[in-house]
Amino acid sequence: MAVPTPHEGPAGRAAPLLPPDLADLLRSRLEAVADEVEEEVRRQVPEYAGPADGAYTRNLRAGVVQALTLFVDHIADPRGPGDAIAATYYELGRGEALVGRGLDALQSALRIGGLHAWRLMGRTVEELGLDSQVVAALGELAFRTVHEVAEAAAEGYADARLRSTDELERRRRRLLELLLGEGPVPVEAVHELAHGARWSVPRYVAVVALAAAGERREDDRPLAAAGALVDMGARPPRMLVPDPDGSGRFAGRAFALALRGRPAAIGPTVPLAEAARSLRWASLALGLMGRGILPRQGVVRCDEHLSTLLLHSDEPLLVQLRARALAPLDRVSEGQRARLAETLLAWLLSGSNVPDVATRLHVHPQTVRYRMRQLEKVFGDALHDPDARLEMILALRAEETRLHATKSGDFLNSQQ
């Protein structure tokens, strides 16, 4: 915004010259004027109405004197930069941001103080009997002064907010790395970092692993403003959620909506010191979502799929279990294998009740009996051994989810 000065008159004409002794006269009355301006601001702006030895009022006094000094300096040299005084207001604005306050109080003080200062100094101008052009030039100069210090305060405030935000994010990333790192979590270090990151330390947390966003950047910081610690640069992207079982923004359908359709897996709720465990299970669940073993879309909660996660927590061991427990099925044809595996699982889960198996599979009971006779031939006494039956159930469950994931993937590919 272009601010007119006493040297910029209409149509390029020079503004009237100011009396050379005016600056000295006003400077001699500066402290008295500062006293009255300070009193007026403290009366009208509640934030500055505290005790005289408070930080707010100390800053007020310094700011008033500096602004009045800048005004007088401009009278003495209208083209003077006033950089040192502008720096004072830059620091005032910066200080407001660093303590988490807005600029409203400072702006009110500038507006009220500037108007009152002009009234007081206007009396001196009237006493000198200066003509209207000089008075107008002084008014423009007063406006310029208020504008300069307000701009400096706003700049300091904006810079501090930007740096404060960047620093806050950096501290929160360090805190998240500490909580999700290997080894024991040092409690004192966590509380120290949390204090610097302005993060309230919860008792319980859950870690969310999210699918990569690709080119979609609009939701790269989901729910961070609500208290989550977020790291979208990690693989997989993750966020640590405080009090996940509470009734706040992280609960229920509101959480799913906040993710805007982005697939995610929520790890189990754990004490804060065990956050890395929640991440481990969430990452496993996200991987199983990608393979179609768990639902590919939406939000998957690990607490609702514990048996599947346990089953797939050690894939090489699962392969060994499946190979050993289901080895007898290698003796039948591929077409028979699928039917017999389906029947065997239903039989084991139904307590060996043939009618229940028939109902579950939507086949005739006689069909079930025929298949069971085939299974008796290939498995023998293992069908009645408790340990062998448990291994069969686990292996057949894994086989079932693997086949389901394969069919799901084939269907999705056919739709592309």
Side-chain angles (χ1 to χ4, degrees):
M1 184 169 105
V3 180
T5 71
H7 284 264
E8 296 174 344
R13 295 192 303 271
L17 294 175
L18 300 175
D21 57 347
L22 180 58
D24 292 336
L25 177 60
L26 293 177
R27 202 182 304 277
S28 68
R29 301 184 181 184
L30 192 146
E31 286 295 332
V33 172
D35 289 340
E36 293 194 44
V37 170
E38 180 183 356
E39 183 179 347
E40 183 68 12
V41 170
R42 292 185 64 184
R43 188 178 67 83
Q44 294 201 44
V45 184
E47 288 82 355
Y48 291 97
D53 59 347
Y56 240 59
T57 49
R58 286 198 302 271
N59 290 339
L60 169 62
R61 178 67 182 187
V64 169
V65 171
Q66 292 281 18
L68 292 174
T69 300
L70 179 60
F71 175 62
V72 174
D73 286 348
H74 279 330
I75 294 174
D77 180 8
R79 296 187 184 276
D83 291 342
I85 294 171
T88 296
Y89 273 85
Y90 178 94
E91 289 302 320
L92 286 174
R94 182 173 175 273
E96 295 297 278
L98 292 178
V99 296
R101 288 192 293 258
L103 270 181
D104 293 347
L106 184 56
Q107 289 172 338
S108 295
L110 281 173
R111 184 177 65 255
I112 292 168
L115 180 60
H116 195 62
W118 174 242
R119 287 172 181 160
L120 295 173
M121 289 188 167
R123 296 174 190 168
T124 301
V125 172
E126 290 176 1
E127 292 171 5
L128 295 175
L130 301 178
D131 62 45
S132 60
Q133 285 186 314
V134 173
V135 174
L138 286 171
E140 291 176 355
L141 199 55
F143 176 78
R144 169 186 166 183
T145 302
V146 172
H147 177 69
E148 284 182 7
V149 296
E151 286 286 291
E155 183 180 354
Y157 185 84
D159 286 352
R161 283 289 300 272
L162 177 62
R163 293 174 185 174
S164 176
T165 299
D166 290 345
E167 177 64 15
L168 200 63
E169 291 181 1
R170 186 183 69 81
R171 291 178 181 180
R172 290 191 171 190
R173 282 195 298 271
R174 284 181 57 200
L175 177 59
L176 184 61
E177 290 171 1
L178 180 64
L179 290 171
L180 299 182
E182 298 293 333
V185 177
V187 177
E188 290 186 6
V190 168
H191 281 270
E192 182 178 347
L193 269 177
H195 178 74
R198 299 180 191 172
W199 190 70
S200 298
V201 178
R203 292 183 61 191
Y204 296 97
V205 297
V207 178
V208 182
L210 300 102
E215 295 301 318
R216 295 180 299 158
R217 306 299 299 176
E218 74 279 359
D219 59 344
D220 269 3
R221 304 301 305 272
L223 300 178
L229 299 179
V230 182
D231 184 0
M232 288 299 160
R235 291 293 176 267
R238 73 238 355 216
M239 52 189 288
L240 185 144
V241 175
D243 189 26
D245 299 327
S247 57
R249 285 188 62 184
F250 299 111
R253 189 166 178 268
F255 179 81
L257 290 174
L259 294 178
R260 302 180 187 179
R262 187 168 177 172
I266 304 179
T269 298
V270 296
L272 180 65
E274 300 178 21
R277 181 164 62 87
S278 185
L279 171 63
R280 184 167 63 251
W281 289 109
S283 299
L284 174 59
L286 189 67
L288 296 179
M289 291 173 68
R291 293 164 54 189
I293 293 174
L294 291 176
R296 294 179 182 271
Q297 301 299 322
V299 178
V300 168
R301 296 181 177 273
C302 289
D303 287 343
E304 299 173 0
H305 301 275
L306 294 179
S307 60
T308 300
L309 291 170
L310 178 62
L311 197 57
H312 290 270
S313 61
D314 190 329
E315 292 284 354
L317 188 61
L318 179 60
V319 170
Q320 291 290 329
L321 173 66
R322 195 165 59 233
R324 191 184 78 165
L326 303 183
L329 290 178
D330 293 339
R331 305 173 196 168
V332 302
S333 66
E334 190 64 31
Q336 283 183 306
R337 179 187 176 95
R339 290 192 296 272
L340 290 178
E342 179 185 50
T343 302
L344 177 57
L345 180 59
W347 184 75
L348 291 169
L349 295 177
S350 301
S352 309
N353 187 296
V354 171
D356 286 349
V357 175
T359 300
R360 181 189 289 257
L361 300 180
H362 306 290
V363 297
H364 195 278
Q366 190 60 33
T367 302
V368 175
R369 294 188 181 95
Y370 170 72
R371 293 178 183 176
M372 289 308 303
R373 284 195 293 270
Q374 291 180 291
L375 289 167
E376 289 278 1
K377 291 179 181 179
V378 296
F379 280 95
D381 293 339
L383 286 181
H384 307 285
D385 179 84
D387 292 335
R389 287 165 68 100
L390 176 59
E391 290 186 354
M392 287 179 203
I393 291 174
L394 295 175
L396 289 166
R397 275 295 195 193
E399 185 87 353
E400 183 181 53
T401 55
R402 184 180 65 82
L403 292 174
H404 174 76
T406 301
K407 292 177 182 177
S408 176
D410 291 344
F411 173 77
L412 290 174
N413 292 333
S414 70
Q415 303 301 306
Q416 296 176 353

